[in-house]
Amino acid sequence: MLWHCQSNETGIDQMNLFAEIRALVIDTLSAMAANGSLPEGLDMAQIAVEPPRDPAHGDMATNAAMVLAKPAGKAPREIAEALAARLLADPRIVAADVAGPGFLNLRLATSLWQGVIRTALTEGANFGRAAVGAGRRVNVEFVSANPTGPMHVGHVRGAVVGDALARLLAFSGWEVTREYYINDGGAQVDVLARSAYERYREANGLEPEIREGLYPGDYLIPVGEALKAKYGDSLLDKGEQYWLAEIREFASDMMMQMIRDDLAALNVKMDVYSSEKALYGTGKIEAAIQALRDMGLIYEGTLEPPKGKEPEDWEPRVQTLFRSTAHGDDVDRPVQKSDGSWTYFAPDIAYHYDKVQRGFDELIDIFGADHGGYVKRMKAAVSALSNGKVPLDIKLVQLVKLYKNGEPFKMSKRAGTFVTLRDVVEQAGTDVTRFMMLTRKNDVTLDFDFAKVLEQSKENPVFYVQYANARINSVLRKSRESGLDCGDASLATADLSLLSHPAEIAMAKKLAEWPRLVEIASRANEPHRVAFYLNELASEFHGLWNKGNDDTSLRFVQDGNAATSLAKVALVRATGVAISAGLAILGVTPVEEMR
RNA sequence: GCACCCAUAGCUCAGCUGGAUAGAGCGUUGCCCUCCGAAGGCAAAGGCCGCACGUUCGAAUCGUGCUGGGUGCGCCA
């Protein structure tokens, strides 16, 4: 699925007012260079056009004069004055004031802000769509839980962050693949098989022996029954060598089906499931290691024991090592154990090599924070195997701490030892869970209180944003009842110059930030920024709504004045468009009415 | 010992890839409903941005060294 922004003939993104004005600034500076008032060939990359911290400074501020002062050999204020004079010739700029060390504060024609409203109405669900991806392909790998049981809370955040990031990137012009790497090649799936075998014995009327180290969860009982249905009692008196491989596959398939269902309950759908086990026996691991060997990055050697925390049974061993230090890692990493079998790192290298070979322009991995030590070696491998051409961004997702009414929450309904994803979704709901998981930056721990997330008050950001959307729908309902045609097409014809109150323009300015925010968030791979923006947008709207209490001219539906009502409702609807677009990135359904 | 993450208002956290007088919510104090949904809104108070150097026109943001908390460090994935 490929989307592109509308672009004008200069290739500038028309939907982003900040980008539009930045282009104007740069064009103007280029013209100044052409007529000799500035040197030719200046680097404009560092020039920014941003909303100023203090609204009193104007609508937008640019640092152009300060950035160019040194290379141009001129005083910043001198450049700023000259730039200001030229910018004022453009009808979009109504004021340009030099301030401080050389800032240029710009005030834009009100019609530009009003125009944002029309843009939102005509773009609809595409309002804010960015072009930063430019059709490039990105692979987002996330969750990748071992197929040994149902998903638990620890997986929820990674699943939501990964999926929201995928949605954000798709909205920003990337072609996105969501991928799950099934860790079905290691010892855990053997443990799973043995645990399932005990449940199989149980299904046949025998007493299961859930020894230490096996998985005790009762989610394996249905697996045992399914095994009985398939094999009857034929495996009961057989040794492990007869059934291990078969049950391993059978059980992990059932676990993966459970995990898919869990993900579906979170409204997460993967595009690709890749199996670790499938890498074995295909030569893919060997090929990946050989590729590294051809670069001179594989050697036989022994590692130094880690200082300060030396394992008790440490003995120097010769291993096959990957020279990851050549690509930024701190020590070289083993890819083969001393007995010649692969370490867990080897298939991971092969898997990432596979992703590189599939032609992605960028890779993103979402890991739990406890895998932080794994980041450098993985980046080293991808750097080596792609000749530094494919960037790998790894996002570490921190712990979620569960509470109920401020008390730590430990209960588990299903699995005996941990709170499952199902527990969370059943208690909090999919939309609430998803939104809450994005109310913190990925690398800080997040408190999740089952009581507070369902509270209907402004301290609950989910409610606060949904409530704004409900109010918006309430306005639309009321204006329809009053006979106004509130279709988007009709609203887009409104005379928006009737919106002149500072509070209304402020609302439009907030809307104008949306396309810019999408760009920033997608460049940083940080979907949480969308959640924060939605909270700010909702706050702006609640404020405007309440001003109607004191100032009746700010009420949205003005009896007997259809033209003014149409313009005001257009602003309201445009806000709703932005909220819906933002919620869509979070994967949250907008509600039309609070219960 | 080494690496990575975190440290910002009393509390929980944002902070635009270096911009101006550092923001929001909660809590505290005081206001706003004969009025489209007050499940809201407005205002005040609250800060050595962990510490110290450095980079430059300019640092919460970048670099170095510390302090404190977390995570991890060869035959587990």
Side-chain angles (χ1 to χ4, degrees), chain A residues 50-63 80 83-84 87-88 93-100 102-108:
Chain A
E50 310 173 308
R53 211 182 280 275
D54 185 347
H57 291 143
D59 296 326
M60 294 185 185
T62 180
N63 61 355
L83 178 60
L87 286 175
L88 282 170
I93 308 296
V94 298
D97 303 311
V98 182
F103 283 102
L104 189 55
N105 291 328
L106 305 176
R107 202 166 288 281
L108 272 56

Short mmCIF file of all heavy atoms in Angstrom, two decimals, chain A residues 50-63 80 83-84 87-88 93-100 102-108, chain B residues 19-20:
data_model
loop_
_atom_site.label_atom_id
_atom_site.label_comp_id
_atom_site.label_asym_id
_atom_site.label_seq_id
_atom_site.Cartn_x
_atom_site.Cartn_y
_atom_site.Cartn_z
N GLU A 50 9.91 26.78 13.09
CA GLU A 50 9.21 26.08 14.17
C GLU A 50 8.22 27.00 14.84
O GLU A 50 8.35 28.22 14.77
CB GLU A 50 10.21 25.63 15.24
CG GLU A 50 11.41 24.90 14.71
CD GLU A 50 12.42 24.64 15.80
OE1 GLU A 50 12.80 25.59 16.52
OE2 GLU A 50 12.82 23.49 15.93
N PRO A 51 7.26 26.40 15.54
CA PRO A 51 6.42 27.24 16.38
C PRO A 51 7.25 27.75 17.55
O PRO A 51 8.02 26.99 18.14
CB PRO A 51 5.31 26.28 16.87
CG PRO A 51 5.84 24.91 16.64
CD PRO A 51 6.91 24.99 15.59
N PRO A 52 7.17 29.02 17.87
CA PRO A 52 7.95 29.54 18.99
C PRO A 52 7.38 29.04 20.31
O PRO A 52 6.21 28.70 20.41
CB PRO A 52 7.79 31.06 18.87
CG PRO A 52 6.49 31.24 18.18
CD PRO A 52 6.30 30.05 17.28
N ARG A 53 8.25 28.96 21.29
CA ARG A 53 7.80 28.51 22.61
C ARG A 53 6.74 29.46 23.16
O ARG A 53 5.75 29.04 23.74
CB ARG A 53 9.00 28.48 23.55
CG ARG A 53 8.92 27.44 24.62
CD ARG A 53 10.12 27.53 25.51
NE ARG A 53 11.31 26.90 24.94
CZ ARG A 53 11.58 25.61 25.06
NH1 ARG A 53 10.75 24.82 25.67
NH2 ARG A 53 12.68 25.11 24.55
N ASP A 54 6.99 30.74 22.97
CA ASP A 54 6.07 31.75 23.47
C ASP A 54 5.24 32.29 22.31
O ASP A 54 5.78 32.89 21.39
CB ASP A 54 6.88 32.88 24.13
CG ASP A 54 5.98 33.91 24.79
OD1 ASP A 54 4.75 33.87 24.52
OD2 ASP A 54 6.49 34.72 25.56
N PRO A 55 3.91 32.07 22.35
CA PRO A 55 3.06 32.52 21.24
C PRO A 55 3.17 34.02 20.99
O PRO A 55 2.89 34.49 19.88
CB PRO A 55 1.65 32.14 21.70
CG PRO A 55 1.83 31.19 22.84
CD PRO A 55 3.19 31.44 23.42
N ALA A 56 3.58 34.78 22.01
CA ALA A 56 3.71 36.23 21.83
C ALA A 56 4.78 36.56 20.80
O ALA A 56 4.83 37.66 20.26
CB ALA A 56 4.04 36.90 23.16
N HIS A 57 5.66 35.61 20.55
CA HIS A 57 6.72 35.85 19.57
C HIS A 57 6.23 35.73 18.14
O HIS A 57 6.98 36.03 17.22
CB HIS A 57 7.88 34.86 19.79
CG HIS A 57 8.63 35.10 21.06
ND1 HIS A 57 9.13 34.09 21.83
CD2 HIS A 57 8.95 36.25 21.70
CE1 HIS A 57 9.73 34.60 22.90
NE2 HIS A 57 9.62 35.91 22.83
N GLY A 58 5.03 35.29 17.96
CA GLY A 58 4.52 35.17 16.60
C GLY A 58 4.04 33.76 16.32
O GLY A 58 3.86 32.95 17.22
N ASP A 59 3.83 33.48 15.04
CA ASP A 59 3.30 32.18 14.64
C ASP A 59 4.41 31.17 14.39
O ASP A 59 4.26 29.99 14.68
CB ASP A 59 2.47 32.33 13.37
CG ASP A 59 1.25 33.21 13.60
OD1 ASP A 59 0.68 33.15 14.71
OD2 ASP A 59 0.87 33.94 12.69
N MET A 60 5.47 31.65 13.80
CA MET A 60 6.59 30.76 13.47
C MET A 60 7.88 31.55 13.67
O MET A 60 7.90 32.77 13.54
CB MET A 60 6.51 30.28 12.02
CG MET A 60 5.32 29.38 11.73
SD MET A 60 5.40 28.73 10.05
CE MET A 60 3.82 27.86 9.98
N ALA A 61 8.93 30.83 13.96
CA ALA A 61 10.23 31.47 14.12
C ALA A 61 11.25 30.71 13.31
O ALA A 61 11.18 29.49 13.20
CB ALA A 61 10.63 31.49 15.59
N THR A 62 12.19 31.43 12.75
CA THR A 62 13.27 30.75 12.03
C THR A 62 14.64 31.18 12.55
O THR A 62 14.84 32.34 12.94
CB THR A 62 13.20 30.98 10.51
OG1 THR A 62 14.30 30.29 9.89
CG2 THR A 62 13.28 32.46 10.17
N ASN A 63 15.54 30.23 12.59
CA ASN A 63 16.91 30.48 13.06
C ASN A 63 17.86 30.76 11.90
O ASN A 63 19.07 30.78 12.08
CB ASN A 63 17.40 29.26 13.85
CG ASN A 63 17.42 28.00 12.99
OD1 ASN A 63 16.99 28.02 11.84
ND2 ASN A 63 17.92 26.92 13.55
N ALA A 80 19.04 38.79 9.13
CA ALA A 80 17.63 38.69 9.51
C ALA A 80 16.83 39.88 8.98
O ALA A 80 15.72 39.71 8.47
CB ALA A 80 17.51 38.58 11.03
N LEU A 83 16.38 39.49 5.25
CA LEU A 83 15.44 38.40 4.99
C LEU A 83 14.01 38.83 5.30
O LEU A 83 13.07 38.56 4.53
CB LEU A 83 15.82 37.18 5.84
CG LEU A 83 14.93 35.94 5.74
CD1 LEU A 83 14.88 35.40 4.32
CD2 LEU A 83 15.42 34.85 6.70
N ALA A 84 13.86 39.55 6.40
CA ALA A 84 12.53 40.02 6.80
C ALA A 84 11.92 40.91 5.73
O ALA A 84 10.75 40.75 5.35
CB ALA A 84 12.63 40.78 8.13
N LEU A 87 10.77 38.75 2.86
CA LEU A 87 9.65 37.87 3.17
C LEU A 87 8.33 38.63 3.21
O LEU A 87 7.28 38.10 2.86
CB LEU A 87 9.89 37.17 4.52
CG LEU A 87 10.93 36.06 4.52
CD1 LEU A 87 11.16 35.55 5.94
CD2 LEU A 87 10.51 34.91 3.63
N LEU A 88 8.42 39.89 3.63
CA LEU A 88 7.19 40.67 3.76
C LEU A 88 6.53 40.91 2.40
O LEU A 88 5.34 41.24 2.34
CB LEU A 88 7.49 42.02 4.43
CG LEU A 88 7.67 41.91 5.95
CD1 LEU A 88 8.20 43.21 6.53
CD2 LEU A 88 6.34 41.54 6.61
N ILE A 93 3.05 36.35 4.54
CA ILE A 93 3.74 36.88 5.72
C ILE A 93 3.23 38.29 6.02
O ILE A 93 3.37 39.19 5.19
CB ILE A 93 5.26 36.95 5.47
CG1 ILE A 93 5.78 35.60 4.97
CG2 ILE A 93 5.99 37.40 6.73
CD1 ILE A 93 5.65 34.47 5.96
N VAL A 94 2.62 38.47 7.18
CA VAL A 94 2.10 39.79 7.51
C VAL A 94 3.00 40.54 8.49
O VAL A 94 2.88 41.73 8.66
CB VAL A 94 0.66 39.73 8.07
CG1 VAL A 94 -0.28 39.14 7.01
CG2 VAL A 94 0.60 38.91 9.34
N ALA A 95 3.91 39.82 9.15
CA ALA A 95 4.85 40.51 10.03
C ALA A 95 6.11 39.67 10.13
O ALA A 95 6.05 38.44 10.12
CB ALA A 95 4.25 40.74 11.42
N ALA A 96 7.26 40.34 10.18
CA ALA A 96 8.53 39.64 10.33
C ALA A 96 9.43 40.51 11.20
O ALA A 96 9.86 41.58 10.78
CB ALA A 96 9.17 39.39 8.97
N ASP A 97 9.66 40.07 12.42
CA ASP A 97 10.42 40.88 13.38
C ASP A 97 11.68 40.16 13.82
O ASP A 97 11.65 38.98 14.15
CB ASP A 97 9.56 41.17 14.62
CG ASP A 97 8.26 41.86 14.25
OD1 ASP A 97 8.34 42.85 13.52
OD2 ASP A 97 7.19 41.39 14.69
N VAL A 98 12.77 40.91 13.82
CA VAL A 98 14.02 40.35 14.31
C VAL A 98 14.01 40.44 15.84
O VAL A 98 13.60 41.44 16.41
CB VAL A 98 15.22 41.13 13.74
CG1 VAL A 98 16.51 40.51 14.22
CG2 VAL A 98 15.16 41.14 12.23
N ALA A 99 14.42 39.37 16.47
CA ALA A 99 14.38 39.34 17.93
C ALA A 99 15.59 38.60 18.48
O ALA A 99 16.18 37.76 17.80
CB ALA A 99 13.10 38.67 18.42
N GLY A 100 15.93 38.94 19.70
CA GLY A 100 17.00 38.25 20.39
C GLY A 100 18.29 38.25 19.59
O GLY A 100 18.62 39.25 18.94
N GLY A 102 19.00 36.97 16.88
CA GLY A 102 18.88 36.92 15.43
C GLY A 102 17.73 36.06 14.96
O GLY A 102 17.65 35.66 13.80
N PHE A 103 16.82 35.76 15.88
CA PHE A 103 15.61 35.05 15.48
C PHE A 103 14.79 35.93 14.57
O PHE A 103 14.78 37.15 14.71
CB PHE A 103 14.74 34.71 16.69
CG PHE A 103 15.24 33.55 17.47
CD1 PHE A 103 15.93 33.74 18.65
CD2 PHE A 103 15.05 32.26 17.02
CE1 PHE A 103 16.41 32.67 19.37
CE2 PHE A 103 15.52 31.19 17.73
CZ PHE A 103 16.20 31.39 18.91
N LEU A 104 14.09 35.32 13.65
CA LEU A 104 13.14 36.05 12.84
C LEU A 104 11.76 35.50 13.16
O LEU A 104 11.47 34.32 12.89
CB LEU A 104 13.47 35.89 11.35
CG LEU A 104 12.66 36.77 10.41
CD1 LEU A 104 12.78 38.24 10.79
CD2 LEU A 104 13.11 36.56 8.97
N ASN A 105 10.96 36.33 13.78
CA ASN A 105 9.62 35.91 14.16
C ASN A 105 8.63 36.29 13.07
O ASN A 105 8.57 37.45 12.67
CB ASN A 105 9.21 36.56 15.48
CG ASN A 105 10.01 36.01 16.64
OD1 ASN A 105 10.40 34.84 16.63
ND2 ASN A 105 10.28 36.83 17.64
N LEU A 106 7.87 35.33 12.64
CA LEU A 106 6.94 35.56 11.54
C LEU A 106 5.50 35.48 12.02
O LEU A 106 5.17 34.65 12.86
CB LEU A 106 7.15 34.50 10.44
CG LEU A 106 8.57 34.38 9.89
CD1 LEU A 106 8.66 33.23 8.90
CD2 LEU A 106 9.02 35.69 9.25
N ARG A 107 4.69 36.37 11.48
CA ARG A 107 3.26 36.26 11.70
C ARG A 107 2.61 35.99 10.35
O ARG A 107 2.91 36.67 9.37
CB ARG A 107 2.73 37.55 12.33
CG ARG A 107 1.43 37.38 13.08
CD ARG A 107 1.14 38.59 13.96
NE ARG A 107 1.99 38.67 15.13
CZ ARG A 107 1.82 37.95 16.25
NH1 ARG A 107 0.83 37.10 16.34
NH2 ARG A 107 2.65 38.09 17.28
N LEU A 108 1.77 34.98 10.33
CA LEU A 108 1.18 34.56 9.07
C LEU A 108 -0.21 35.13 8.89
O LEU A 108 -0.91 35.41 9.87
CB LEU A 108 1.09 33.02 9.02
CG LEU A 108 2.32 32.28 8.49
CD1 LEU A 108 3.57 32.65 9.27
CD2 LEU A 108 2.09 30.78 8.55
P G B 19 16.60 23.07 19.80
OP1 G B 19 16.20 21.73 20.26
OP2 G B 19 15.86 23.71 18.70
"O5'" G B 19 16.58 24.03 21.05
"C5'" G B 19 15.50 24.91 21.22
"C4'" G B 19 16.00 26.30 21.61
"O4'" G B 19 17.18 26.63 20.82
"C3'" G B 19 14.98 27.39 21.34
"O3'" G B 19 15.14 28.39 22.31
"C2'" G B 19 15.43 27.93 19.98
"O2'" G B 19 15.01 29.25 19.77
"C1'" G B 19 16.94 27.85 20.14
N9 G B 19 17.70 27.82 18.90
C8 G B 19 17.56 26.97 17.84
N7 G B 19 18.45 27.18 16.89
C5 G B 19 19.21 28.24 17.36
C6 G B 19 20.31 28.90 16.78
O6 G B 19 20.88 28.67 15.70
N1 G B 19 20.78 29.93 17.59
C2 G B 19 20.25 30.26 18.80
N2 G B 19 20.84 31.27 19.44
N3 G B 19 19.22 29.65 19.37
C4 G B 19 18.76 28.65 18.59
P A B 20 14.34 28.17 23.74
OP1 A B 20 15.13 27.25 24.56
OP2 A B 20 12.90 27.96 23.56
"O5'" A B 20 14.55 29.64 24.32
"C5'" A B 20 15.86 30.14 24.58
"C4'" A B 20 15.80 31.65 24.56
"O4'" A B 20 15.51 32.08 23.20
"C3'" A B 20 14.72 32.25 25.45
"O3'" A B 20 15.19 33.49 25.96
"C2'" A B 20 13.58 32.54 24.47
"O2'" A B 20 12.74 33.59 24.87
"C1'" A B 20 14.36 32.93 23.22
N9 A B 20 13.61 32.69 21.98
C8 A B 20 13.21 31.48 21.45
N7 A B 20 12.58 31.59 20.32
C5 A B 20 12.55 32.96 20.08
C6 A B 20 12.01 33.73 19.04
N6 A B 20 11.37 33.20 17.99
N1 A B 20 12.15 35.06 19.12
C2 A B 20 12.80 35.59 20.16
N3 A B 20 13.35 34.97 21.20
C4 A B 20 13.19 33.65 21.10
#
